[in-house]
Amino acid sequence: QVQLQESGPGLVKPSQTLSLTCTVSGGAISSGSYYWSWIRQPAGKGLEWIGRFYSSGSTNYSPSLKSRVTISVDTSKNQFSLKLSSVTAADTAVYYCARGSGWSWFDPWGQGTLVTVSS
Amino acid sequence: QSVLTQPPSASGTPGQRVTISCSGSSSNIGGNYVYWYQQVPGTAPRLLIYRNNQRPSGVPDHFSGSKSGTSASLAISGLRSDDEADYYCAVWDDSLSVVVFGGGTKLTVL
């Protein structure tokens, strides 16, 4: 079965770029028609969709984050990545990666990784 | 403030039936599939219901979903202590071009 695991720095300074990687195991990221998404959750708050990469090569980003977000895929490493530029304390959250079979269909999820933005 | 409205909390005793609502609009629930996620504190969300009322394999059958117009509901019958968690609805919004999540409902089993 497919499993996802996030990795990356747990601490990022304000104004810098947050970079996370999601490693997919148990299946090729290039196989099937799937969406590969990033979702985040500030402590004690709800879920916020960041964006996704579709197997066709297209991407969709949340309009509120679009100017700062890039999601890319490295099929050779079976990974996909998130870059969020010009971060502020408001970007502090647990970041999840997930595979999707439909617009709002996220399954499975990674375990999540906490990213704190602080100097 | 979320585009999708959920009650912040719900509760019930073991064995009871509890319903969690998710209210939206024609640009989201009214025209797209609704999904439900369960999140036990400290863990990642888990898909509970897809395409309004379908249960993935492994999800107990005491969970059920429904949709009518611009609202959706998650019903939990035969409430169990391990159902205590946060529940989120999610749907694509055609106007905003974004996946929107409800604010979440914290379910307490008394």
Side-chain angles (χ1 to χ4, degrees), chain B residues 16-101:
Chain B
Q16 271 191 328
R17 174 184 170 91
V18 170
T19 300
I20 296 172
S21 62
C22 177
S23 179
S25 67
S26 58
S27 66
N28 44 64
I29 292 178
N32 295 296
Y33 288 122
V34 178
Y35 297 76
W36 289 92
Y37 296 89
Q38 177 194 57
Q39 185 178 33
V40 174
T43 70
R46 163 200 182 196
L47 179 66
L48 210 57
I49 297 289
Y50 66 96
R51 291 184 177 174
N52 301 334
N53 55 20
Q54 304 297 304
R55 274 180 293 103
S57 60
V59 172
D61 62 5
H62 70 279
F63 291 99
S64 62
S66 64
K67 178 183 128 173
S68 178
T70 59
S71 292
S73 293
L74 173 71
I76 309 171
S77 59
L79 200 60
R80 307 182 328 202
S81 58
D82 61 357
D83 294 329
E84 193 163 280
D86 296 321
Y87 292 85
Y88 295 90
C89 55
V91 65
W92 177 259
D93 190 293
D94 293 324
S95 295
L96 300 174
S97 295
V98 69
V99 175
V100 289
F101 287 93

